[in-house]
């Protein structure tokens, strides 16, 4: 691990992932009435609570911030993997045409197509389930793209359906907190690779969850960066500084961020997509039972 012998006794080492806790740290979301959403191959939202939930919910976990405050967590097993698979396919098609495209450029081009999409994705429906999904009680994942004969299938609508699908299970879980428990946050921050293309993923998420979404410049860093920040905090903790103050004063002071509000037309469109999505869960579940995984 250290053939040069540079590591000294007492050197802080951080594992590359800490899952939920690193998302809270990486988005400065450890105070009450703050929350964060981390999206990747899976996704979760963390909502730091002012008071205990009124009821037990099958799809809501109670965890804590790294310094012990109660948090309501919505965790979903599937998020961006299906988008990555389709992007890979489009990349192969471009290469077959003799056009080599860097991954960042490929995702940027595909995501920006969403600007021309119909708000409800033109009647297209997608299920990004590579594995079972607890939120929808789906036992086996079978990625599905579904359309009717009269759906408007084009690239903008297709990409919007992909993004809606990536956030669909998270929305279903968040609706429990917002509608049944009246959980509110002063700020909801998001991070993850889907936000490297400016505005697109952020706006779709705001429309889907019907809440403002804030993204900082560090939004694409992910969990390993948050874990490294926690390692640095170990020294400040010895001096008595609490985690929230450390993040405000030492890490995120002066950090730039952008906040996007839900757009009424996009909210209405996403609601129509989610209605189709929920109605078709039986198809997703049937596919899991009927089509064997030969992987």
């Amino acid at each position: 691990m250290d053939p040069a012998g540079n590591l000294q006794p007492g050197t802080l080492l951080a594992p590359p992932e800490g899952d939920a806790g690193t998302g809270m740290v990486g988005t400065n979301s450890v105070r009450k009435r703050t929350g964060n959403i981390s999206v990747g191959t899976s996704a979760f939202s963390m909502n730091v609570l002012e008071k205990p939930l009124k009821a037990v919910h099958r799809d809501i976990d109670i965890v804590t911030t790294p310094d012990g405050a109660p948090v309501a967590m919505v965790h979903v097993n599937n998020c961006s993997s299906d988008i990555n698979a389709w992007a890979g396919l489009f990349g192969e098609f471009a290469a077959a045409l003799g056009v080599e495209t860097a991954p960042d450029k490929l995702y940027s081009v595909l995501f920006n197509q969403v600007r021309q999409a119909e708000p409800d994705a033109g009647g297209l429906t997608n299920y990004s389930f590579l594995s079972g999904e607890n939120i929808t009680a789906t036992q086996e994942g079978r990625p599905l793209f579904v359309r009717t004969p009269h759906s408007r299938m084009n690239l903008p609508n297709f990409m919007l359906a992909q993004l809606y699908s990536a956030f669909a299970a998270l929305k279903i879980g968040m609706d429990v907190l917002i509608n049944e428990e009246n959980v509110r946050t002063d700020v909801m921050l998001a991070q993850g690779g889907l936000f490297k293309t400016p505005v697109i993923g952020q706006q779709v998420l705001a429309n889907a969850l019907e809440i403002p979404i804030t993204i900082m410049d560090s939004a694409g860093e992910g969990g390993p960066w948050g874990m490294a920040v926690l390692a640095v905090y170990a020294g400040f903790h010895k001096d008595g500084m609490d985690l929230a103050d450390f993040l405000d004063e030492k890490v995120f002071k002066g950090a730039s961020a952008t906040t996007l509000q839900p757009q009424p037309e996009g909210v209405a469109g996403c609601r129509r997509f989610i209605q189709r999505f929920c109605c078709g869960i039986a198809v997703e579940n049937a596919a899991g039972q009927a089509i064997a995984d030969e992987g």
Side-chain angles (χ1 to χ4, degrees):
M1 180 175 179
D2 181 34
N6 293 323
L7 290 179
Q8 298 299 311
T11 297
L12 292 170
L13 297 178
E17 282 286 359
D19 207 20
T22 63
M24 288 184 266
V25 169
T27 54
N28 193 17
S29 305
V30 299
R31 295 189 188 276
K32 292 179 180 179
R33 290 183 65 90
T34 65
N36 81 88
I37 294 170
S38 182
V39 302
T41 53
S42 63
F44 56 79
S45 70
M46 314 297 291
N47 305 267
V48 187
L49 299 173
E50 294 182 282
K51 57 185 179 181
L53 298 182
K54 295 179 292 186
V56 174
H57 301 277
R58 181 180 68 88
D59 299 321
I60 308 297
D61 297 319
I62 301 299
V63 295
T64 68
T65 63
D67 56 349
V71 176
M73 176 182 184
V74 178
H75 181 269
V76 299
N77 294 331
N78 301 278
C79 185
S80 64
S81 294
D82 199 29
I83 291 177
N84 295 337
W86 283 107
L89 184 68
F90 286 124
E92 290 181 17
F93 176 68
L97 292 175
V99 180
E100 296 294 336
T101 307
D104 285 352
K105 176 66 178 300
L106 178 64
Y107 279 90
S108 178
V109 169
L110 290 173
F111 278 30
N112 276 293
Q113 289 292 312
V114 170
R115 298 179 187 274
Q116 285 77 50
E118 298 174 59
D120 72 339
L124 307 181
T125 308
N126 193 78
Y127 297 89
S128 60
F129 295 174
L130 270 73
S131 65
E133 185 54 70
N134 53 293
I135 294 290
T136 58
T138 298
Q139 299 301 311
E140 296 284 341
R142 297 293 183 270
L144 292 176
F145 171 64
V146 183
R147 63 190 177 99
T148 69
H150 296 97
S151 299
R152 277 80 65 197
M153 185 175 176
N154 55 41
L155 187 56
N157 286 340
F158 179 83
M159 289 309 302
L160 181 56
Q162 290 296 322
L163 285 170
Y164 278 159
S165 177
F167 299 138
L170 185 66
K171 173 182 172 54
I172 294 169
M174 281 291 290
D175 280 350
V176 174
L177 287 179
I178 294 171
N179 299 330
E180 299 182 27
E181 291 286 350
N182 198 34
V183 171
R184 295 293 183 267
T185 60
D186 294 325
V187 59
M188 180 65 79
L189 295 109
Q191 70 166 4
L194 285 182
F195 305 117
K196 286 186 176 181
T197 299
V199 177
I200 304 300
Q202 182 183 4
Q203 186 65 67
V204 172
L205 182 59
N207 293 344
L209 300 186
E210 302 181 33
I211 56 176
I213 298 294
T214 297
I215 289 183
M216 294 186 288
D217 287 343
S218 59
E221 296 294 345
W225 185 78
M227 180 54 78
V229 171
L230 274 178
V232 173
Y233 171 63
F236 290 87
H237 177 63
K238 294 176 182 177
D239 295 333
M241 178 177 282
D242 68 32
L243 179 60
D245 289 340
F246 166 73
L247 294 175
D248 283 343
E249 299 173 16
K250 303 296 183 180
V251 180
F252 293 102
K253 186 176 182 179
S256 61
T258 58
T259 300
L260 294 181
Q261 302 291 327
Q263 299 171 330
E265 189 176 17
V267 168
C270 185
R271 286 179 179 175
R272 293 194 295 274
F273 176 91
I274 292 297
Q275 183 178 25
R276 296 196 306 270
F277 183 92
C278 291
C279 288
I281 288 294
V283 178
E284 170 67 23
N285 292 339
Q289 296 172 2
I291 302 174
D293 185 356
E294 300 178 359

